[in-house]
Amino acid sequence: VETLAGQAFFAEPIGEKEKYANDPGTGMIQGYGSKLANNASGQLEWEDYFFHLVYPEEKADLSIWPKRPQDYIPATREYAKELRGLATKLLSALSFGLGLEEGRLEKEVGGMEELILQMKINYYPKCPQPELALGVEAHTDVSALSFILHNMVPGLQLFYGGKWVTAKCVPDSIIVHIGDTLEILSNGKYKSILHRGLVNKEKVRISWAVFCEPPKEKIILKPLPETVTEAEPPLFPPRTFAQHMAHKLF
């Protein structure tokens, strides 16, 4: 339902979509946006997107969520709730993987009250010359975890074993990435995955990415003491999430 609702939004006339236009220049990053820019390697980045906070519900600004299609808001709220439960399960398993108690990583990224989920729906138009354009250039996510759904059009690539590998489109599956936040907390034992999005010649590609992020200022992110030894000193300096984002951007 979430994917159908998101697809229907991008099918709306441009005037309807622009009612929700964002304005990154003034710091208003939530809403509908379009990106057409040259990246560092001279390729064009080409995508429309819709970005907004989806969880916790009380922090979400429903006034900027699309009113059409009508099922967008209920479907997205339900989806965010399901993903929040999944995040808890995965963080528990990843805590065990580091030899920590079950709830530790979730606590370190803000717990139920402070961990936020932001959703970005990426809409990549058909591109007659896909070799000249990228949807999104190579990057790692700043999040703790990222969840990705897509409309079964291939285009997500991961850098693995020294080369770019296209992720398989498996029906009824969800892709999970580890982001920078967990790489820092685990002192590099969990790796933040380098990935990019390609455009497609024949088909429109849409992906739904949900980023699980710690609060910007309340928590200092640094390798957990249990992950540091004399042989494995801390690989990352202490930073707030906001400082880490600024460090990545500049």
Side-chain angles (χ1 to χ4, degrees):
V1 178
E2 171 54 41
T3 54
L4 290 172
Q7 250 164 317
F9 170 76
F10 285 100
E12 292 283 334
I14 187 73
E16 181 64 27
K17 290 185 285 201
E18 285 189 337
K19 288 179 187 172
Y20 304 98
N22 65 2
D23 187 1
T26 62
M28 195 180 97
I29 55 170
Q30 295 198 84
Y32 169 72
S34 200
K35 191 162 140 192
L36 190 58
N38 280 77
N39 67 19
S41 51
Q43 284 173 304
L44 204 56
E45 284 193 271
W46 192 13
E47 63 160 348
D48 281 7
Y49 63 89
F50 200 99
F51 181 79
H52 60 100
L53 187 151
V54 292
Y55 197 91
E57 217 162 88
E58 65 274 10
K59 290 183 183 170
D61 178 2
L62 291 180
S63 72
I64 62 141
W65 291 31
K67 309 289 177 287
R68 291 169 54 178
Q70 284 180 332
D71 56 354
Y72 183 89
I73 291 176
T76 302
R77 284 167 111 166
E78 184 56 35
Y79 181 55
K81 215 177 286 178
E82 293 290 334
L83 280 190
R84 187 61 189 85
L86 182 57
T88 292
K89 288 180 180 151
L90 284 172
L91 289 167
S92 296
L94 291 165
S95 291
F96 285 140
L98 293 172
L100 305 169
E101 64 277 15
E102 188 180 6
R104 181 64 182 283
L105 281 177
E106 179 152 1
K107 182 173 142 269
E108 296 289 345
V109 294
M112 263 323 206
E113 292 71 37
E114 298 289 347
L115 183 72
I116 63 166
L117 272 56
Q118 314 246 34
M119 182 162 80
K120 185 174 178 229
I121 310 176
N122 302 292
Y123 179 94
Y124 306 108
K126 281 184 273 197
C127 181
Q129 291 180 283
E131 66 284 354
L132 299 180
L134 273 175
V136 176
E137 69 176 324
H139 66 287
T140 59
D141 293 338
V142 290
S143 57
L145 293 170
S146 303
F147 297 108
I148 301 166
L149 281 178
H150 52 75
N151 65 333
M152 295 298 289
V153 175
L156 173 65
Q157 290 196 320
L158 318 172
F159 196 68
Y160 182 74
K163 59 180 192 287
W164 287 105
V165 178
T166 301
K168 287 195 179 94
C169 289
V170 180
D172 303 322
S173 69
I174 191 161
I175 293 168
V176 184
H177 286 177
I178 282 178
D180 298 350
T181 297
L182 287 188
E183 181 169 46
I184 292 166
L185 291 172
S186 70
N187 201 27
K189 291 178 175 61
Y190 293 137
K191 298 276 184 269
S192 190
I193 187 80
L194 186 66
H195 58 286
R196 66 184 185 183
L198 301 188
V199 289
N200 192 287
K201 195 172 182 170
E202 321 283 322
K203 295 176 177 163
V204 166
R205 186 169 163 261
I206 309 178
S207 68
W208 288 256
V210 173
F211 308 103
C212 305
E213 299 179 353
K216 284 193 164 59
E217 305 286 356
K218 283 190 179 174
I219 290 172
I220 300 294
L221 295 174
K222 61 179 198 289
L224 298 175
E226 295 90 335
T227 66
V228 175
T229 62
E230 250 176 71
E232 296 171 307
L235 297 172
F236 306 94
R239 285 191 183 117
T240 63
F241 187 65
Q243 285 168 333
H244 175 68
M245 289 198 331
H247 165 77
K248 276 197 84 156
L249 285 171
F250 307 110

